[in-house]
Amino acid sequence: MAPEELRIATAEAEDVAGRDDDAENDTATSNGAASEEKAPRCRPRISKDARHERRELDLGNSCPDCGGDLRVLGEDVRELIDMIAAQLKVIEIARIKKSCRCCEKIVQEPVPSRPIPSSMAGSSLLDYILTSKFDDHVPHYRQHEIFERMGADIPETTLGGLVWGFNPDISAAD
C-alpha cells in the first residue's frame, strides 16, 4: 500500500471510530444511571469540603533565557491528592506554683479535665483509637504496631483499657 493510501485508510478508520464514540456518548447520556455502571471511573471523587492547598510555581518577572519582561498568558492547573500522615504529639501541661507573700499560701491552677481520669490519652487520640477499632476494624495488636512506627509504645492492654474507659496501667489504689 502506498503511503498516501495508508493515510486515507487511517483517516477513514479514525472517522468511523469517532462516529462510534459519539454514538456511545449519546446513548450514555440518555441512559443516565446505566452509563455510570458501564463506564469505568478512573478519577477519584473527593469531597468539596476536603482541604485544598494552592501552590504556585512562578518564574518571576524576567525571562530565564534572555532576561526580558514576562507577562501572564494563563495557567495550567493540575490536582494532586496527598495525605497528611497521622502524627503523635505530646502536650506538656505545666501548672505554675506560686506563693502569696501576704498569706503565705501556695496557689496553682487546677488540673484540666481529661476524657479518662488519670490517663495520658487526649480526646483526639481516643477518637483515632475508637475509629480504627470500630469503623476500620483494626485490632489492638495492629494499632500497637502503627503507634510503634510513629514512635510511641502503647501496649495492647492499654489500648483495650482506653476503648472500654479505664486505664489498666493505673492501679485501683490510685
Side-chain angles (χ1 to χ4, degrees), residues 38 55 57 72 74 92 147:
K38 291 180 183 177
R55 295 181 187 172
L57 304 177
V72 177
E92 292 181 350
F147 287 128

Side-chain angles (χ1 to χ4, degrees), residues 48-64:
K48 298 287 182 192
D49 298 333
R51 195 175 113 199
H52 284 70
E53 177 181 318
R54 181 179 171 95
R55 295 181 187 172
E56 292 185 1
L57 304 177
D58 191 2
L59 289 174
N61 294 326
S62 59
C63 177

